[in-house]
Amino acid sequence: MTTTTDLAKRNNSPSEIILTKEQMIAEGAIDADVKIGIATEWATRLQHIIEQRHLYAQVGPKKFPLAEAWEVVLSFANADPIIEWTKDLTDRDGKVIGQKARAVLKFKGNEVCAAEMSCGYDDFPCRGKHGMAQQRAAESSAQTWAIAKASRVKYAWVMVMAGYEATPAEEMGLASETSQTPVKRAPPQSPSASAKGEQASTTSTTGVKSGT
């Protein structure tokens, strides 16, 4: 049976281990103990980053991870978030009331998960903005929220193991309104970079605006 150590050796690092169903099957590491061991390591590193950078919104005892926290998980998984499209969000009369986006998570070029989210012009990122500023704010938020939602679908169990709620703060409308301290933005870090105190490169996303 392939062990966590074996996987680490093949990835040239004790921490840079891929945790996806596809990788586990390819490596023959389908034993539950191996999966749990890797996820536990991720959860420990994830909790440290989230708490240090305050990447959550808190309601009572519950902590809802911000989109940046989900991007950290994606960096651990070597999963690439791609914005497939961004479109106008319209009401029944055809009036544009916001923007919607679809995000796809890819591993080695293969789609592993996807999700859609929308941001209305009355949502908090657009408040006080008008014209193109309002549209850009809605587009950016819809894209970010779609990535966070896709990440939750695929990796919610890792976030729960780290002690956080499985629902992104943005889906709860909490991102800017209930955080107890100003949110500090941190780039995603790989587990190995976190252990060494080094900053990893942020995962890039590609946004494409299409027509309705």
Side-chain angles (χ1 to χ4, degrees):
M1 180 186 71
T2 303
T3 66
T4 303
T5 302
D6 294 331
L7 287 174
K9 290 180 179 178
R10 295 181 189 182
N11 285 280
N12 299 317
S13 167
S15 299
E16 294 175 357
I17 304 171
I18 310 303
L19 181 61
T20 66
K21 181 178 179 181
E22 294 78 12
Q23 179 72 3
M24 288 297 182
I25 293 175
E27 295 289 350
I30 57 177
D31 184 84
D33 290 338
V34 175
K35 294 181 182 180
I36 293 173
I38 297 172
T40 299
E41 179 184 359
W42 281 17
T44 299
R45 303 291 177 85
L46 180 63
Q47 184 183 59
H48 174 74
I49 294 172
I50 292 177
E51 292 298 320
Q52 184 181 53
R53 299 295 184 177
H54 199 90
L55 299 180
Y56 62 86
Q58 187 163 355
V59 179
K62 297 183 178 181
K63 295 180 179 181
F64 297 85
L66 293 167
E68 290 83 353
W70 291 101
E71 290 175 1
V72 174
V73 179
L74 294 184
S75 73
F76 288 179
N78 286 347
D80 298 318
I82 304 297
I83 299 302
E84 191 171 83
W85 50 253
T86 306
K87 300 179 180 179
D88 290 335
L89 177 66
T90 59
D91 61 15
R92 294 181 178 179
D93 298 324
K95 179 182 178 181
V96 178
I97 58 175
Q99 297 292 315
K100 58 183 178 180
R102 175 181 171 84
V104 176
L105 302 185
K106 291 190 175 183
F107 175 70
K108 292 186 176 181
N110 297 316
E111 181 177 328
V112 295
C113 189
E116 298 177 15
M117 281 292 289
S118 61
C119 177
Y121 290 150
D122 57 346
D123 285 326
F124 71 86
C126 303
R127 294 172 188 169
K129 297 181 177 66
H130 304 281
M132 287 302 298
Q134 183 184 61
Q135 180 177 325
R136 285 194 295 268
E139 288 176 353
S140 178
S141 296
Q143 292 169 2
T144 300
W145 298 352
I147 291 173
K149 184 175 182 179
S151 304
R152 173 181 64 81
V153 172
K154 187 69 176 178
Y155 301 109
W157 61 289
V158 177
M159 193 67 74
V160 171
M161 286 183 68
Y164 301 93
E165 299 300 309
T167 304
E170 289 78 7
E171 285 192 39
M172 300 292 290
L174 303 173
S176 69
E177 299 181 357
T178 61
S179 297
Q180 295 181 348
T181 60
V183 174
K184 299 178 181 179
R185 306 302 185 187
Q189 297 181 356
S190 67
S192 58
S194 174
K196 297 177 182 177
E198 299 174 349
Q199 178 175 310
S201 299
T202 54
T203 303
S204 63
T205 61
T206 303
V208 179
K209 179 67 184 294
S210 62
T212 55

